[in-house]
Coordinates of all heavy atoms in Angstrom, one line a residue:
M1 N 0.9 -1.2 0.0 CA 0.0 0.0 0.0 C 0.9 1.2 -0.1 O 2.0 1.3 0.6 CB -0.9 -0.1 1.2 CG -1.9 1.1 1.2 SD -3.1 0.8 2.6 CE -3.9 2.3 2.5
G2 N 0.4 2.2 -0.6 CA 1.1 3.5 -0.7 C 0.7 4.6 0.3 O 0.0 4.3 1.2
N3 N 1.2 5.7 0.1 CA 1.0 6.9 0.9 C 0.6 8.0 0.1 O 1.0 8.1 -1.1 CB 2.2 7.3 1.7 CG 2.1 6.9 3.2 OD1 1.1 6.7 3.7 ND2 3.4 6.8 3.8
I4 N -0.1 9.0 0.7 CA -0.4 10.2 0.1 C 0.4 11.3 0.7 O 0.4 11.5 1.9 CB -1.9 10.6 0.1 CG1 -2.8 9.6 -0.7 CG2 -2.2 12.0 -0.5 CD1 -4.3 9.7 -0.7
K5 N 1.2 12.1 -0.2 CA 2.0 13.1 0.3 C 1.6 14.4 -0.2 O 1.1 14.6 -1.2 CB 3.5 12.9 -0.1 CG 4.1 11.6 0.3 CD 4.6 11.7 1.7 CE 5.3 10.5 2.2 NZ 5.6 10.4 3.5
S6 N 1.7 15.4 0.7 CA 1.3 16.8 0.4 C 2.4 17.5 -0.3 O 3.6 17.3 -0.1 CB 1.1 17.5 1.7 OG 1.0 18.9 1.5
N7 N 2.0 18.2 -1.3 CA 2.9 19.1 -2.1 C 2.8 20.6 -1.6 O 3.2 21.5 -2.4 CB 2.7 19.0 -3.5 CG 3.0 17.7 -4.1 OD1 3.9 17.0 -3.7 ND2 2.1 17.1 -5.0
L8 N 2.2 20.7 -0.4 CA 2.0 22.1 0.1 C 3.2 23.0 0.1 O 3.2 24.1 -0.3 CB 1.3 22.1 1.4 CG 0.8 23.3 2.1 CD1 -0.3 24.0 1.1 CD2 0.1 23.1 3.4
H9 N 4.3 22.3 0.5 CA 5.6 23.1 0.6 C 6.1 23.6 -0.7 O 6.6 24.7 -0.8 CB 6.7 22.2 1.2 CG 7.1 21.0 0.5 ND1 6.2 19.9 0.5 CD2 8.1 20.8 -0.2 CE1 6.8 19.0 -0.3 NE2 7.9 19.4 -0.7
I10 N 5.8 22.9 -1.8 CA 6.2 23.3 -3.1 C 5.3 24.4 -3.6 O 5.8 25.4 -4.1 CB 6.1 22.1 -4.1 CG1 7.1 21.0 -3.8 CG2 6.2 22.5 -5.5 CD1 6.9 19.7 -4.4
L11 N 4.0 24.2 -3.4 CA 3.1 25.3 -3.8 C 3.3 26.6 -3.1 O 3.2 27.7 -3.6 CB 1.6 24.8 -3.6 CG 1.2 23.6 -4.5 CD1 -0.1 23.0 -4.1 CD2 1.1 24.0 -6.0
M12 N 3.6 26.4 -1.8 CA 3.9 27.7 -1.0 C 5.1 28.4 -1.5 O 5.2 29.6 -1.7 CB 4.0 27.3 0.5 CG 2.7 26.9 1.2 SD 3.1 26.4 2.9 CE 3.6 27.8 3.7
G13 N 6.1 27.6 -1.8 CA 7.4 28.2 -2.4 C 7.2 28.9 -3.7 O 7.6 30.0 -3.9
E14 N 6.4 28.3 -4.5 CA 6.0 28.8 -5.9 C 5.3 30.2 -5.8 O 5.4 31.1 -6.6 CB 5.3 27.9 -6.8 CG 6.1 26.7 -7.2 CD 5.3 25.6 -8.0 OE1 4.0 25.7 -8.0 OE2 5.9 24.7 -8.5
K15 N 4.4 30.2 -4.7 CA 3.6 31.5 -4.5 C 4.3 32.5 -3.5 O 3.7 33.4 -3.2 CB 2.2 31.0 -4.1 CG 1.2 32.2 -4.2 CD -0.2 31.7 -4.5 CE -1.1 32.8 -4.6 NZ -2.3 32.5 -5.4
K16 N 5.5 32.0 -3.1 CA 6.2 32.9 -2.2 C 5.5 33.2 -0.8 O 5.5 34.2 -0.3 CB 6.7 34.2 -2.8 CG 7.6 33.9 -3.9 CD 8.2 35.3 -4.5 CE 9.2 35.1 -5.6 NZ 9.3 33.9 -6.3
I17 N 4.8 32.1 -0.4 CA 4.2 32.0 0.9 C 5.2 31.6 1.9 O 5.6 30.5 1.8 CB 2.9 31.3 1.0 CG1 1.9 31.6 -0.1 CG2 2.3 31.2 2.4 CD1 1.2 33.0 0.1
R18 N 5.6 32.4 2.8 CA 6.8 32.2 3.7 C 6.4 31.5 5.0 O 7.3 30.9 5.6 CB 7.5 33.5 4.0 CG 8.0 34.1 2.8 CD 8.6 35.4 3.1 NE 9.0 36.1 1.8 CZ 10.0 36.9 1.6 NH1 10.8 37.2 2.6 NH2 10.2 37.4 0.5
S19 N 5.2 31.3 5.3 CA 4.9 30.6 6.6 C 3.4 30.0 6.6 O 2.6 30.5 5.8 CB 5.0 31.6 7.8 OG 4.0 32.6 7.7
I20 N 3.3 29.1 7.5 CA 2.0 28.6 7.6 C 1.0 29.6 8.2 O -0.2 29.7 7.8 CB 2.0 27.4 8.6 CG1 2.8 26.2 8.1 CG2 0.6 26.9 9.0 CD1 2.2 25.5 6.9
N21 N 1.5 30.5 9.0 CA 0.7 31.6 9.6 C 0.2 32.4 8.4 O -1.0 32.8 8.5 CB 1.5 32.4 10.6 CG 0.7 33.3 11.4 OD1 -0.3 33.0 11.8 ND2 1.2 34.5 11.5
Q22 N 1.0 32.8 7.5 CA 0.6 33.6 6.4 C -0.4 32.9 5.5 O -1.4 33.5 5.1 CB 1.8 34.0 5.5 CG 1.4 34.9 4.3 CD 2.7 35.1 3.4 OE1 3.8 34.7 3.7 NE2 2.4 35.8 2.3
L23 N -0.2 31.6 5.3 CA -1.2 30.9 4.5 C -2.5 30.8 5.2 O -3.6 30.9 4.6 CB -0.6 29.5 4.2 CG -1.4 28.6 3.3 CD1 -1.7 29.2 1.9 CD2 -0.8 27.2 3.1
S24 N -2.5 30.6 6.5 CA -3.7 30.5 7.3 C -4.5 31.9 7.2 O -5.7 31.8 7.0 CB -3.3 30.3 8.8 OG -4.5 30.3 9.6
K25 N -3.8 33.0 7.3 CA -4.5 34.3 7.2 C -5.1 34.5 5.8 O -6.2 35.0 5.7 CB -3.5 35.4 7.5 CG -3.1 35.5 8.9 CD -2.1 36.6 9.2 CE -1.7 36.7 10.6 NZ -0.7 37.7 10.9
E26 N -4.4 34.0 4.8 CA -4.9 34.2 3.4 C -5.9 33.3 3.0 O -6.7 33.6 2.1 CB -3.7 34.3 2.5 CG -2.7 35.4 2.7 CD -1.8 35.8 1.6 OE1 -2.2 35.5 0.5 OE2 -0.7 36.1 1.9
T27 N -6.0 32.1 3.6 CA -7.0 31.1 3.2 C -8.2 31.0 4.2 O -9.2 30.4 3.9 CB -6.4 29.8 3.0 OG1 -5.8 29.3 4.3 CG2 -5.3 29.8 1.9
G28 N -7.9 31.3 5.4 CA -9.0 31.1 6.5 C -8.9 29.7 7.0 O -9.8 29.3 7.8
I29 N -8.0 28.9 6.7 CA -7.7 27.5 7.2 C -6.9 27.6 8.4 O -5.9 28.4 8.5 CB -7.0 26.7 6.2 CG1 -7.9 26.6 4.9 CG2 -6.8 25.3 6.7 CD1 -7.2 26.0 3.6
S30 N -7.2 26.9 9.4 CA -6.5 27.0 10.8 C -5.1 26.6 10.6 O -4.7 25.7 9.8 CB -7.2 26.2 11.8 OG -7.0 24.8 11.6
R31 N -4.2 27.2 11.4 CA -2.8 26.8 11.4 C -2.5 25.4 11.7 O -1.7 24.7 11.1 CB -2.0 27.7 12.4 CG -1.8 29.1 11.8 CD -0.9 30.0 12.7 NE -1.2 29.8 14.1 CZ -0.5 30.0 15.1 NH1 0.7 30.6 14.9 NH2 -0.8 29.8 16.3
P32 N -3.2 24.8 12.8 CA -3.1 23.4 13.0 C -3.3 22.5 11.8 O -2.7 21.5 11.6 CB -3.9 23.1 14.2 CG -4.1 24.4 14.9 CD -4.1 25.4 13.8
T33 N -4.4 22.8 11.1 CA -4.8 22.0 10.0 C -3.8 22.1 9.0 O -3.4 21.1 8.3 CB -6.2 22.5 9.5 OG1 -7.2 22.2 10.4 CG2 -6.5 21.7 8.2
L34 N -3.3 23.3 8.6 CA -2.2 23.5 7.6 C -1.0 22.8 8.1 O -0.3 22.2 7.2 CB -2.0 25.0 7.3 CG -3.2 25.7 6.7 CD1 -2.9 27.2 6.6 CD2 -3.4 25.1 5.2
T35 N -0.6 22.9 9.3 CA 0.6 22.3 9.8 C 0.5 20.7 9.6 O 1.5 20.1 9.1 CB 0.9 22.6 11.2 OG1 1.0 24.0 11.3 CG2 2.1 21.9 11.7
R36 N -0.6 20.2 9.9 CA -0.8 18.7 9.7 C -0.6 18.3 8.2 O 0.0 17.3 7.9 CB -2.1 18.2 10.3 CG -2.0 18.1 11.8 CD -3.3 17.4 12.4 NE -4.5 18.0 12.0 CZ -5.1 19.0 12.7 NH1 -4.6 19.5 13.7 NH2 -6.3 19.5 12.2
I37 N -1.2 19.1 7.4 CA -1.1 18.8 5.9 C 0.3 19.0 5.4 O 0.9 18.1 4.8 CB -2.0 19.8 5.1 CG1 -3.5 19.4 5.4 CG2 -1.8 19.6 3.6 CD1 -4.5 20.5 4.9
Y38 N 1.0 20.0 5.8 CA 2.4 20.4 5.5 C 3.3 19.2 5.9 O 4.2 18.8 5.2 CB 2.8 21.7 6.1 CG 4.1 22.2 5.7 CD1 4.2 23.1 4.6 CD2 5.3 21.8 6.3 CE1 5.4 23.6 4.2 CE2 6.5 22.3 5.9 CZ 6.5 23.2 4.8 OH 7.8 23.7 4.5
N39 N 3.1 18.7 7.1 CA 4.0 17.7 7.7 C 3.5 16.3 7.4 O 4.1 15.3 7.9 CB 4.1 17.9 9.2 CG 4.8 19.2 9.5 OD1 5.8 19.5 8.8 ND2 4.5 19.7 10.6
D40 N 2.5 16.1 6.5 CA 2.0 14.9 6.1 C 1.5 14.1 7.3 O 1.7 12.8 7.5 CB 3.0 14.0 5.3 CG 3.3 14.6 4.0 OD1 2.3 15.0 3.3 OD2 4.5 14.7 3.6
E41 N 0.8 14.7 8.3 CA 0.4 14.1 9.5 C -1.1 13.9 9.5 O -1.7 13.5 10.5 CB 0.8 14.9 10.7 CG 2.3 15.0 10.8 CD 2.8 15.9 11.9 OE1 2.0 16.8 12.3 OE2 4.0 15.8 12.3
S42 N -1.9 14.2 8.4 CA -3.4 14.1 8.5 C -3.8 12.8 8.0 O -3.2 12.2 7.1 CB -3.9 15.1 7.4 OG -3.7 16.5 7.9
D43 N -4.7 12.3 8.7 CA -5.4 11.1 8.3 C -6.6 11.4 7.4 O -7.0 10.5 6.6 CB -5.9 10.3 9.6 CG -4.8 9.7 10.4 OD1 -3.8 9.3 9.8 OD2 -5.0 9.6 11.6
R44 N -7.2 12.6 7.6 CA -8.3 12.9 6.7 C -8.3 14.5 6.6 O -7.9 15.1 7.5 CB -9.6 12.4 7.3 CG -10.0 13.0 8.6 CD -11.2 12.5 9.3 NE -10.9 11.2 9.9 CZ -10.4 11.0 11.1 NH1 -9.8 12.0 11.7 NH2 -10.3 9.8 11.6
I45 N -8.8 14.9 5.4 CA -8.8 16.4 5.1 C -10.2 16.6 4.6 O -10.7 15.9 3.7 CB -7.7 16.8 4.2 CG1 -6.4 16.4 4.7 CG2 -7.8 18.3 3.9 CD1 -5.2 16.6 3.7
E46 N -10.8 17.6 5.2 CA -12.2 18.0 4.7 C -12.1 18.5 3.3 O -11.2 19.2 2.8 CB -12.7 19.1 5.7 CG -12.9 18.7 7.0 CD -14.2 19.1 7.7 OE1 -15.1 19.6 7.0 OE2 -14.2 18.8 8.9
F47 N -13.2 18.3 2.5 CA -13.3 18.7 1.1 C -13.2 20.2 1.1 O -12.6 20.8 0.1 CB -14.6 18.2 0.4 CG -14.5 16.8 0.1 CD1 -15.6 16.0 0.3 CD2 -13.5 16.2 -0.5 CE1 -15.6 14.7 0.0 CE2 -13.4 14.8 -0.9 CZ -14.5 14.1 -0.5
T48 N -13.8 20.9 2.0 CA -13.8 22.4 2.0 C -12.3 22.9 2.1 O -12.0 23.9 1.5 CB -14.6 23.0 3.1 OG1 -14.2 22.5 4.3 CG2 -16.1 22.8 2.8
T49 N -11.5 22.2 2.9 CA -10.1 22.6 3.0 C -9.3 22.4 1.7 O -8.6 23.3 1.3 CB -9.4 21.9 4.2 OG1 -10.1 22.1 5.4 CG2 -8.0 22.1 4.3
I50 N -9.5 21.2 1.1 CA -8.9 20.9 -0.2 C -9.3 22.0 -1.2 O -8.5 22.5 -2.0 CB -9.3 19.5 -0.6 CG1 -8.6 18.5 0.3 CG2 -8.7 19.3 -2.1 CD1 -9.1 17.1 0.1
Y51 N -10.6 22.3 -1.2 CA -11.1 23.3 -2.2 C -10.5 24.6 -2.0 O -10.1 25.3 -2.9 CB -12.7 23.3 -2.0 CG -13.3 24.4 -3.0 CD1 -13.5 24.0 -4.3 CD2 -13.7 25.7 -2.5 CE1 -14.1 25.0 -5.2 CE2 -14.2 26.6 -3.4 CZ -14.4 26.3 -4.7 OH -14.9 27.1 -5.6
K52 N -10.4 25.1 -0.7 CA -9.9 26.4 -0.5 C -8.4 26.4 -0.9 O -8.0 27.4 -1.5 CB -10.0 26.7 1.0 CG -11.3 27.1 1.5 CD -11.3 27.3 3.0 CE -12.6 27.7 3.6 NZ -12.6 27.9 5.0
L53 N -7.7 25.4 -0.7 CA -6.2 25.3 -1.1 C -6.1 25.4 -2.5 O -5.3 26.1 -3.1 CB -5.5 24.1 -0.5 CG -5.2 24.2 1.1 CD1 -4.8 22.9 1.5 CD2 -4.3 25.3 1.4
C54 N -6.9 24.6 -3.3 CA -6.9 24.5 -4.7 C -7.3 25.9 -5.3 O -6.6 26.4 -6.2 CB -7.8 23.5 -5.3 SG -7.1 21.8 -5.0
Q55 N -8.3 26.6 -4.7 CA -8.6 27.9 -5.2 C -7.5 28.9 -4.9 O -7.2 29.7 -5.9 CB -10.0 28.4 -4.5 CG -11.1 27.6 -4.9 CD -11.5 27.9 -6.3 OE1 -11.7 29.0 -6.8 NE2 -11.6 26.8 -7.2
F56 N -6.9 28.9 -3.8 CA -5.9 29.8 -3.5 C -4.7 29.7 -4.4 O -4.1 30.6 -4.9 CB -5.5 29.6 -2.0 CG -4.4 30.6 -1.6 CD1 -4.7 31.9 -1.3 CD2 -3.0 30.2 -1.5 CE1 -3.7 32.8 -1.0 CE2 -2.0 31.0 -1.2 CZ -2.3 32.3 -0.9
F57 N -4.2 28.4 -4.6 CA -3.0 28.1 -5.4 C -3.4 28.1 -6.9 O -2.4 27.9 -7.7 CB -2.4 26.9 -5.0 CG -1.7 27.0 -3.6 CD1 -2.1 26.4 -2.5 CD2 -0.6 27.9 -3.5 CE1 -1.5 26.5 -1.3 CE2 0.1 28.0 -2.2 CZ -0.4 27.3 -1.1
G58 N -4.6 28.0 -7.3 CA -5.0 27.9 -8.7 C -4.5 26.6 -9.2 O -4.0 26.5 -10.4
C59 N -4.8 25.5 -8.5 CA -4.3 24.2 -8.9 C -5.4 23.2 -8.8 O -6.5 23.4 -8.3 CB -3.2 23.8 -8.0 SG -3.6 23.4 -6.2
E60 N -5.1 21.9 -9.2 CA -6.0 20.8 -9.1 C -5.6 20.0 -7.9 O -4.5 20.1 -7.4 CB -6.0 19.9 -10.4 CG -6.3 20.7 -11.6 CD -7.9 21.1 -11.7 OE1 -8.7 20.3 -11.1 OE2 -8.2 22.1 -12.2
V61 N -6.5 19.1 -7.5 CA -6.2 18.2 -6.3 C -4.9 17.4 -6.5 O -4.2 17.3 -5.6 CB -7.4 17.3 -6.0 CG1 -7.1 16.3 -5.0 CG2 -8.6 18.1 -5.7
G62 N -4.7 17.0 -7.8 CA -3.5 16.2 -8.0 C -2.3 17.0 -8.0 O -1.1 16.4 -7.9
D63 N -2.3 18.3 -8.1 CA -1.2 19.2 -7.8 C -0.9 19.3 -6.3 O 0.3 19.5 -5.9 CB -1.4 20.5 -8.4 CG -1.7 20.5 -9.9 OD1 -1.0 19.7 -10.6 OD2 -2.5 21.3 -10.3
L64 N -1.9 19.2 -5.5 CA -1.8 19.4 -4.0 C -1.2 18.1 -3.4 O -0.5 18.2 -2.3 CB -3.1 19.8 -3.5 CG -3.2 20.3 -2.1 CD1 -2.3 21.5 -1.8 CD2 -4.7 20.7 -1.8
F65 N -1.6 17.0 -3.9 CA -1.2 15.7 -3.3 C -0.6 14.7 -4.3 O -1.0 14.8 -5.5 CB -2.5 15.0 -2.6 CG -3.1 15.9 -1.6 CD1 -4.3 16.5 -1.8 CD2 -2.5 16.0 -0.3 CE1 -4.9 17.3 -0.9 CE2 -3.1 16.7 0.6 CZ -4.2 17.4 0.4
T66 N 0.2 13.9 -3.9 CA 0.9 12.9 -4.7 C 0.8 11.6 -4.0 O 1.1 11.5 -2.8 CB 2.4 13.2 -4.9 OG1 2.5 14.5 -5.5 CG2 3.1 12.2 -5.8
I67 N 0.5 10.5 -4.8 CA 0.4 9.1 -4.3 C 1.9 8.6 -4.4 O 2.4 8.6 -5.5 CB -0.6 8.2 -5.0 CG1 -2.0 8.8 -4.8 CG2 -0.4 6.8 -4.6 CD1 -3.0 8.1 -5.5
V68 N 2.4 8.1 -3.3 CA 3.8 7.5 -3.3 C 3.6 6.1 -3.0 O 3.1 5.7 -1.9 CB 4.7 8.2 -2.2 CG1 6.0 7.6 -2.2 CG2 4.7 9.7 -2.5
K69 N 4.0 5.3 -3.9 CA 4.0 3.8 -3.7 C 5.1 3.2 -2.9 O 6.3 3.8 -3.0 CB 3.9 3.1 -5.1 CG 2.6 3.5 -5.8 CD 2.5 2.8 -7.1 CE 1.3 3.3 -7.8 NZ 1.1 2.7 -9.1
D70 N 4.9 2.3 -2.1 CA 6.0 1.7 -1.3 C 7.0 0.9 -2.2 O 6.6 0.4 -3.1 CB 5.4 0.8 -0.2 CG 4.6 1.5 0.9 OD1 4.9 2.7 1.1 OD2 3.8 0.9 1.5

């Protein structure tokens, strides 16, 4: 079985977002939620959170997450 990894750090770098705090302020997503996504510590993510991130970064879900096979 594989894993799903977040590409949040890449998207943040491309958009020059320097901190989770800045991203939280700009998206309205809580810092703890963003930190868990950033550190690949989430077991589940709400669709509204994924939607907000995709809208903010102008990306698709597949740009935000990558499936990594063992």
Side-chain angles (χ1 to χ4, degrees):
M1 185 171 171
N3 254 339
I4 296 177
K5 297 287 184 183
S6 165
N7 295 321
L8 188 56
H9 62 288
I10 296 168
L11 295 169
M12 287 175 66
E14 289 173 353
K15 196 152 179 155
K16 298 188 179 12
I17 302 296
R18 297 177 188 212
S19 69
I20 294 293
N21 192 44
Q22 180 184 355
L23 184 59
S24 176
K25 287 180 182 176
E26 295 196 32
T27 62
I29 301 168
S30 74
R31 286 185 321 160
T33 296
L34 290 171
T35 299
R36 283 191 302 275
I37 294 169
Y38 187 93
N39 292 325
D40 294 316
E41 297 171 344
S42 288
D43 290 329
R44 65 187 77 73
I45 302 170
E46 301 222 6
F47 286 135
T48 55
T49 299
I50 295 170
Y51 179 81
K52 286 178 184 179
L53 288 171
C54 287
Q55 288 294 303
F56 180 77
F57 289 112
C59 69
E60 299 292 325
V61 176
D63 300 321
L64 190 56
F65 300 103
T66 303
I67 296 176
V68 179
K69 297 180 182 178
D70 292 335

